[in-house]
Amino acid sequence: IAGITQAPTSQILAAGRRMTLRCTQDMRHNAMYWYRQDLGLGLRLIHYSNTAGTTGKGEVPDGYSVSRANTDDFPLTLASAVPSQTSVYFCASSDSPGATGELFFGEGSRLTVL
Amino acid sequence: GQNIDQPTEMTATEGAIVQINCTYQTSGFNGLFWYQQHAGEAPTFLSYNVLDGLEEKGRFSSFLSRSKGYSYLLLKELQMKDSASYLCAFTDSNYQLIWGAGTKLIIKP
């Protein structure tokens, strides 16, 4: 593994189903983020974690939850998927908390909720 | 409130120079980023400005004026591979990144 790995790359999901998007980094970065990207809109922050054991809500947290049990992993869970959660999801990490340093992004997870 | 604005799309010719502008409004500012995103790929870091002035990195330069709430990304000697979206983002007073919707740059031969 080099950098950030996201899984799955793409998924079609029925509404109401539970889904976890996985994110793993091997750079030992303290800060990690989940964004969604929709056509015509900027990246929107869902949840973030400044260090293992802590998480915080971003701009659009409703319907999503995260955990940060260790430095490397930061999974994003949709408890009961809805069509409005159809989007491309990017996980990112940084060695500078507080959005003052370069973000390293995973390749993205394209989620379609029907 | 706070917002950020950049053009939706721009077209330029291979070998030419293009300037992509970004304007923002915020009560607290802690730096401005530019990222490049090729279609279907992840964003990658280009530049970070926290002080006024021009930062040059090879063919790419980024400028910031904090008093005017204005930044631009300058791309010189355009190549076909520069066709991508360019994302502007600033760090607000809560140290959260606020992203523009991106400027899609189309390079024509």
Side-chain angles (χ1 to χ4, degrees), chain B residues 23-88:
Chain B
T23 58
Y24 63 89
Q25 288 182 316
T26 180
S27 56
F29 176 85
N30 288 292
L32 188 133
F33 292 86
W34 284 95
Y35 282 79
Q36 181 190 59
Q37 185 177 24
H38 286 100
E41 298 183 8
T44 55
F45 171 82
L46 288 177
S47 67
Y48 175 57
N49 295 66
V50 64
L51 300 175
D52 285 359
L54 187 69
E55 297 273 349
E56 296 186 76
K57 268 191 197 179
R59 294 189 299 114
F60 291 10
S61 302
S62 57
F63 172 84
L64 175 67
S65 169
R66 295 178 64 140
S67 63
K68 295 182 179 178
Y70 169 67
S71 174
Y72 68 73
L73 181 69
L74 191 71
L75 291 74
K76 303 176 184 177
E77 301 169 13
L78 286 170
Q79 302 175 9
M80 298 303 293
K81 68 178 182 179
D82 297 330
S83 292
S85 288
Y86 291 86
L87 314 180
C88 173

Side-chain angles (χ1 to χ4, degrees), chain A residues 6-99:
Chain A
Q6 291 184 231
T9 303
S10 179
Q11 182 77 42
I12 299 174
L13 187 66
R17 297 296 296 268
R18 181 183 179 89
M19 177 73 193
T20 295
L21 304 180
R22 300 183 298 278
C23 176
T24 300
Q25 54 109 353
D26 65 354
M27 297 176 283
R28 307 303 292 172
H29 286 170
N30 281 319
M32 295 189 75
Y33 307 86
W34 273 106
Y35 287 94
R36 61 177 289 173
Q37 187 174 41
D38 302 289
L39 195 64
L41 299 176
L43 287 162
R44 291 184 291 169
L45 182 65
I46 304 170
H47 286 286
Y48 66 93
S49 169
N50 286 330
T51 189
T54 69
T55 62
K57 293 182 179 181
E59 180 186 357
V60 289
D62 294 343
Y64 306 94
S65 63
V66 292
S67 62
R68 187 86 184 277
N70 56 61
T71 297
D72 298 344
D73 301 301
F74 191 43
L76 176 74
T77 297
L78 289 67
S80 178
V82 295
S84 62
Q85 292 177 313
T86 294
S87 187
V88 180
Y89 291 86
F90 286 102
C91 180
S93 73
S94 174
D95 62 1
S96 303

